[in-house]
Amino acid sequence: MKTLGKTLLAVGIFTSLGNGFEYKVNGQVQNYSKFGFNNDKINQAKGKYPTDSFSTMIASLGVNMDIGAGFQAGLGGTIGGIVYDGTKYQKTIDNTTLNPDGLVWNYFGFWAGNDYRFSASANNTKNYFIQNAFITYTYDKYIQIKGGRFQMPGDWFSGYIQGLYLQSWAIPHTRLWSFATNHRASWGGKWFKDYKYINPNVAKDNGKGFYVFGVGAEFKYKNFSAQPYFYAQDSRFYAPGIHLTYDTNPDFKSEGFRSKTEIIFLHMTHVGPALQKSTAYNNYDALLYPGQQFVGRGGESLLLKQTFEIDRYYFGGAFYKNFGNPNEFLAPYGDPTGFDNYDNSVYDSAAWNNVFRRDAINGFLFAGAQYAQLKITLLGRYTDTPRAREEAFSIGLDYKFAHNILAGLKAEYYNNTTFKGFTLGYSGNKPKPLTQNVTQDRSYISTFIQHNF
């Protein structure tokens, strides 16, 4: 599977030689920066850690080709680096530097091999990779097959995958889809991680990259749509779910009124070696469950989301509830809420906030507007879980300049209280459970500027 994308792409290109084909070159240059407001000294004994500050830069180049006879292909690669890493200079209360090599490589350049067989660090980052290498065949409305490396949509599993994706619109009002993959990458914004196995478990099954499979159907009729689906991974999980939507104005064009109601449900069952896998997201109180930090049997997720749009304005709310621990193996690879839930500190579960934790209860309120080239977004969030409680509010401004230049700024107030018995910190050593509740400021400002061509 590792060379599938390159092989299929080469086949498509060589079959087109002599016949000619249309192609379009594309690319992007982007800078992303985050500036944390909490720069207090690190106190490991009390679990006190600052909010990370850093800046990254990427440049990508790609080409999309129409080969003919229903075939299309694409190839694209990116190179980048860390411009600034504030975690290199964070001092402890003893005035020593805890991580002189920095920690931002956890976002950008993380590389432990595609099977996680060696330890990732600042000294073995991978700052380039091919994110697109695919060939697509489409036959009318009956079948579309894409293979290689490409970006894939989805409620619970999305992003850049290496594998196969199939779609069909042969049945009226219906789209059928399925996929199979065992490698995934993170690309865009602060994220830059090459393709790696999905949910590896080196201790139990030698880190095998078992395939993730998905199959589903999307039925649309007038104002209603229903999308049942089923995800599974050998020796990890199986998870049926459904996405229901009622949309009063599916063809809304920023004029008039629109109401959109969504219900998303997922049932997760962990199986086989997964039952003995340690939780990667610190979901259990180590003082109450010593030596038993496993992922558990799974659970259910329920998302209710209501959006109203009036001309160029929108507002709404969402409720997200976990019953048990259903998000351990899917939520890191997809986010059905539509919000950024990776805005915590690198000192806490690699920036994963607490929205997807075990037994989490979340409430969201959002609003926004579009004025010509200016986009404004407002988001408030309250999260309560056995591990932590969070309150956050953000305002975002994006502006589209001439020459395909887009720039944005986001300012967020973010308060986090992690409860006694859980852990915080990243220092190369396993953090100790907190002996008391710890409240910390995770507020920050982030910016980006990108040029697309």
Side-chain angles (χ1 to χ4, degrees), residues 76-229:
T78 304
I79 188 170
I82 299 170
V83 179
Y84 170 75
D85 183 355
T87 63
K88 290 182 177 181
Y89 314 105
Q90 299 287 358
K91 301 287 187 178
T92 69
I93 56 175
D94 298 323
N95 210 36
T96 59
T97 303
L98 187 62
N99 301 102
D101 291 328
L103 294 175
V104 174
W105 53 267
N106 282 278
Y107 301 122
F108 198 101
F110 180 99
W111 184 245
N114 73 338
D115 56 1
Y116 288 78
R117 289 195 174 277
F118 57 84
S119 179
S121 73
N123 300 316
N124 59 10
T125 58
K126 192 171 183 182
N127 296 327
Y128 62 90
F129 73 96
I130 303 297
Q131 76 272 9
N132 281 324
F134 64 85
I135 186 166
T136 303
Y137 173 72
T138 304
Y139 179 64
D140 197 33
K141 63 183 179 180
Y142 297 103
I143 189 71
Q144 183 181 81
I145 305 174
K146 179 178 282 191
R149 292 182 170 186
F150 52 88
Q151 189 174 20
M152 182 189 75
D155 281 347
W156 298 97
F157 195 94
S158 60
Y160 286 84
I161 70 165
Q162 178 175 292
L164 291 171
Y165 189 80
L166 285 76
Q167 298 185 90
S168 174
W169 299 266
I171 301 174
H173 310 293
T174 303
R175 178 176 71 96
L176 303 176
W177 59 267
S178 64
F179 73 86
T181 179
N182 71 339
H183 283 74
R184 187 182 180 277
S186 299
W187 184 88
K190 59 177 174 276
W191 298 107
F192 193 88
K193 295 185 178 183
D194 200 354
Y195 286 87
K196 302 181 295 296
Y197 283 152
I198 300 162
N199 297 323
N201 189 358
V202 175
K204 293 295 179 183
D205 50 33
N206 298 317
K208 292 180 181 178
F210 295 116
Y211 276 82
V212 175
F213 299 94
V215 61
E218 184 177 15
F219 308 100
K220 290 186 177 182
Y221 184 72
K222 295 184 178 179
N223 303 106
F224 295 93
S225 69
Q227 185 175 176
Y229 38 67

Side-chain angles (χ1 to χ4, degrees), residues 9 21 23-26 61-65 73-76 134:
L9 181 62
F21 56 86
Y23 67 92
K24 184 177 181 180
V25 176
N26 58 79
L61 184 66
V63 58
N64 290 325
M65 296 164 279
L75 180 66
F134 64 85

